[in-house]
Structure formats: structure tokens, C-alpha cells
Amino acid sequence: AFAYSPEEGSVTATLGPYLYRTNYSESSSSANSPYLGGIALIANGDVSDHGALEIALFHINKLYFREQNGQTLVEKTALLQINLGYRYWWNSWLSSSLAFSSSYSMGQPSVIETSFPANSGVETSAHATTTYGFDFALQQELWNHERYSVMLDERYSKSVTSRSGESADHYGFIVGLRYFIQERQIVNGPMPKKK
């Protein structure tokens, strides 16, 4: 049964694998954008019976594609992406979210493919310390039993710090296990009198 009902004070956490790919349309180059795997952790704190604040962490190895004058550069780097946003519950099994994202480089980027000369100086956002964007997500509950649920989360990450000629957006999905951590504690009876 689909049973989750958002309520102010409730907290849930979702953990699962993240399958994603950079939104790059293979043009004249031989470069392609395969699906890659990462991990996602999403925490929600309900602020009403239909909305929740959301914090999400993603560890991914992202591909960046940059084209200029008919030449292509593909670079890869490990990123920690952090999302801060709001989730709206349409009903007990379907919700959507909008979040601001910041991504932090972890380690040195590597060149996967390039047709640029060695001394061209062309780089992708893989060399940036921090990049920013927005995440749009649609989440569906597939199964529910007491405190546990299995979720399907489909999302698109839009970069707002892309360089000229660069494909830096990515999209993918998460099949995650959600755990209901706590609900709001309600104290019954009169408040104790002050001495």
C-alpha cells in the first residue's frame, strides 16, 4: 500500500545508486556520453502536510563536453554535488522538487578524448573548483512497508556556470531505499506550572 503522508516535523532519508549521463548530443565527433554510476543520499524534513525542505548529496564522476571550431574536448572529474531545495507532495506516492545545487571538484580531471592541439589551452568546467546549477526532480513511491519505502527518483541537473560551447547538464534516476526516521512529537495534557 502507498501510505506515506507528509506531516510537519517528520524526517525521512533516502539512499541509493544514481545512474546518470551528461546531456550531450553526439554531433560530428566520435565522442559519446555513456551512463555512469554514482551514489545519492536525500534527506527531507516536512514543513507542512504537502511540502518538505530537502538536502541531497551526490557523489558522481561527471563528463564534460566542449566543442569549438569543429573540435571536441571530453574531460572527466569526480564531484560532490550538494542540493538545497523544496519538495512538494502531490499525493502520498508522487512528489516533485526544485533545488539549488553546488558541485565541488574532488581530485584532478582527466582527458577522455580531445581533437584540440596540446597547447590550445582549452578546458572544460572539470577544472573549476565549484560549479552551480538547479536540480528538477520527480519522485514516485514504488513500494511501502511500515518505515521503509522503495523510491524511483528521476532528475535533471541544469548547469548555470557552463563555459562557451560546453555540455554540462546531466540527467538520470535513483532507485533508493527511503527510511522514515522520526515524526513530530506531540505532548498531551496541560503544560507544567512554573514554581
Side-chain angles (χ1 to χ4, degrees), residues 86-99:
Y86 180 80
R87 179 168 294 279
Y88 183 83
W89 292 88
W90 300 97
N91 52 46
S92 63
W93 59 273
L94 180 66
S95 64
S96 58
S97 69
L98 172 62

Side-chain angles (χ1 to χ4, degrees), residues 62 64 75-77 79 105 107 109-110 124-128 163 166:
K62 186 167 178 176
Y64 292 90
E75 293 185 310
K76 183 179 182 180
T77 190
L79 293 178
S105 180
S110 58
T124 69
S125 295
H127 293 266
R163 302 188 182 189
E166 182 177 75

